[in-house]
Amino acid sequence: MESNRELFAKSCFVFTMVRGLNLTIEEDIRLRLKDYEVGFSSFRILWILFFAEQMTMSDLSEISQTNISNVYRQLLKLKDNDLVDIKSGEDARIKEVSLTNKGQTLVHHFIDEKSTFPDFQLSSILATVPREDIDKFIQVGSILSSKLIGGNFINFAKNISQTIVKNDNSI
């Protein structure tokens, strides 16, 4: 049985690895977004909306793991660039957000391009890792994310992956 100190040490190790992966992957995406004239934070919002069709700002905040004021700032930029629509919901305090055709086209093009010509470091490295190891990593990551962030988050992440595979070139 592992001691509390050993479990804490492992949790610190997992945190450090995840943080490093996150920063490296974000930088890889930032480099690929230069051709799209949109920053990473804005693209993350577009990405989420592409797979959700419509969301409230609160749901967007939960899925993007960003506070609501950051989400709102990004949405205003995206609205100014005609990439999202923001409408009042049934309750005036609730804003419903969706992609415009221009926003849908941007994300669709990104997915199509990166699926056809994969140039992300992570994709290249994953191609060299045995499938069962990737599946185990995904299983453990899913358990941790579900327990720490919640079921909505992990279900959304699974939906994205399944939709990309299922729709191949016809998203």
Side-chain angles (χ1 to χ4, degrees):
M1 181 171 197
E2 294 183 277
S3 71
N4 288 340
R5 182 168 292 275
E6 290 168 321
L7 288 172
F8 178 69
K10 284 184 179 179
S11 67
C12 289
F13 184 69
V14 168
F15 167 76
T16 304
M17 284 191 312
V18 168
R19 182 76 175 134
L21 287 170
N22 184 56
L23 291 172
T24 303
I25 294 165
E26 272 190 28
E27 184 57 30
D28 210 8
I29 293 170
R30 284 180 208 282
L31 290 171
R32 299 331 183 264
L33 287 174
K34 287 181 182 177
D35 297 336
Y36 293 87
E37 298 178 3
V38 64
F40 178 80
S41 296
S42 293
F43 184 75
R44 182 173 49 197
I45 299 296
L46 294 173
W47 180 265
I48 292 166
L49 289 172
F50 184 83
F51 293 97
E53 293 183 27
Q54 181 173 309
M55 287 187 126
T56 65
M57 286 181 28
S58 296
D59 290 339
L60 248 166
S61 177
E62 177 188 355
I63 297 299
S64 67
Q65 293 293 286
T66 305
N67 69 48
I68 197 126
S69 59
N70 285 339
V71 168
Y72 185 68
R73 277 193 301 275
Q74 293 306 318
L75 286 172
L76 290 179
K77 290 180 200 175
L78 292 167
K79 185 174 177 14
D80 287 345
N81 290 318
D82 191 35
L83 295 167
V84 299
D85 283 326
I86 304 172
K87 297 178 180 160
S88 291
E90 291 178 22
D91 181 334
R93 296 170 293 171
I94 297 174
K95 302 291 185 202
E96 294 176 349
V97 187
S98 60
L99 289 181
T100 62
N101 286 336
K102 184 178 175 183
Q104 289 175 354
T105 300
L106 186 147
V107 178
H108 183 275
H109 185 265
F110 184 86
I111 292 169
D112 198 36
E113 180 183 347
K114 299 309 166 195
S115 297
T116 306
F117 306 105
D119 60 351
F120 286 117
Q121 294 179 70
L122 183 60
S123 298
S124 300
I125 294 167
L126 282 176
T128 68
V129 177
R131 182 182 180 107
E132 54 274 2
D133 290 345
I134 295 170
D135 291 344
K136 189 62 167 177
F137 179 81
I138 289 170
Q139 180 185 10
V140 171
S142 295
I143 292 167
L144 293 173
S145 293
S146 184
K147 299 275 186 195
L148 295 169
I149 303 167
N152 288 342
F153 179 82
I154 195 63
N155 289 337
F156 192 81
K158 287 177 183 177
N159 179 51
I160 289 173
S161 179
Q162 291 168 351
T163 302
I164 290 171
V165 170
K166 183 174 39 175
N167 292 325
D168 203 358
N169 286 321
S170 61
I171 291 179

